[in-house]
Amino acid sequence: NYEEFIKNYHGFSPFADNIGLKLTALSDGHCEGEVPVTPALFNPIGTIHGGVYYTLADTVRGCAARTRGQTPTTIEGKLNHIRAATSKDKKLIAKGDVLHFGQKTIVSSVLITNDSGQTLAAGLFTFFALDKKDLKTWSETLSHLPEHT
């Protein structure tokens, strides 16, 4: 259920939560998401840090890849930065589409725009489809990390 996945995504990826990433649409092989432009995301030269773009791209494409029940992990990614987001922008918007669903690899593309529709970045990425038997639950993963106070 795509709507349920979007609703339950918050908390699934603490790193994505830290930048304010929200999923906005999900369908077979397609996902959309956005990140609000906030002062915490800027680099020293006054533009949004490139890591924010990459996290948004990687997350949206990964969720698009999950729509057929596979569990993806990124093995290669190329993101071309075309235009810098600035304080005039209100949000970054990403649309990711799977180009190829294979048994072991998934190839996808992503386009990132600002709220005015200007293209900020475009990318092409490859995932490896993990075997479910090798996956840990979220609580198992957290149990191996040191406690934070």
Side-chain angles (χ1 to χ4, degrees):
N1 181 324
Y2 298 139
E3 289 178 18
E4 188 174 320
F5 184 89
I6 290 173
K7 180 181 164 191
N8 294 324
Y9 184 77
H10 181 72
F12 181 71
S13 174
F15 187 76
D17 290 346
N18 282 337
I19 65 167
L21 195 154
K22 301 282 186 242
L23 300 182
T24 57
L26 188 65
S27 58
D28 184 31
H30 177 81
C31 185
E32 297 178 21
E34 60 188 39
V35 171
V37 172
T38 65
L41 304 181
F42 283 86
N43 61 28
I45 63 171
T47 61
I48 296 293
H49 191 283
V52 175
Y53 286 82
Y54 199 94
T55 299
L56 177 59
D58 193 46
T59 301
V60 167
R61 293 171 315 87
C63 291
R66 285 178 169 269
T67 61
R68 294 204 184 162
Q70 293 173 298
T71 302
T73 188
T74 304
I75 57 174
E76 183 270 337
K78 176 179 176 27
L79 189 64
N80 289 342
H81 295 264
I82 297 166
R83 166 176 277 156
T86 69
S87 60
K88 294 178 184 176
D89 297 311
K90 291 181 178 55
K91 60 186 170 182
L92 307 181
I93 302 163
K95 296 179 181 181
D97 292 289
V98 173
L99 305 174
H100 166 75
F101 278 106
Q103 288 185 351
K104 293 292 180 188
T105 60
I106 304 161
V107 178
S108 60
S109 64
V110 67
L111 182 68
I112 299 175
T113 63
N114 61 14
D115 47 293
S116 299
Q118 295 173 309
T119 299
L120 303 177
L124 185 66
F125 296 77
T126 305
F127 288 113
F128 178 74
L130 297 168
D131 289 330
K132 292 200 186 281
K133 65 180 172 51
D134 295 328
L135 298 177
K136 294 179 181 174
T137 65
W138 184 239
S139 59
E140 288 173 321
T141 300
L142 290 178
S143 71
H144 295 8
L145 299 175
E147 289 293 321
H148 296 287
T149 56

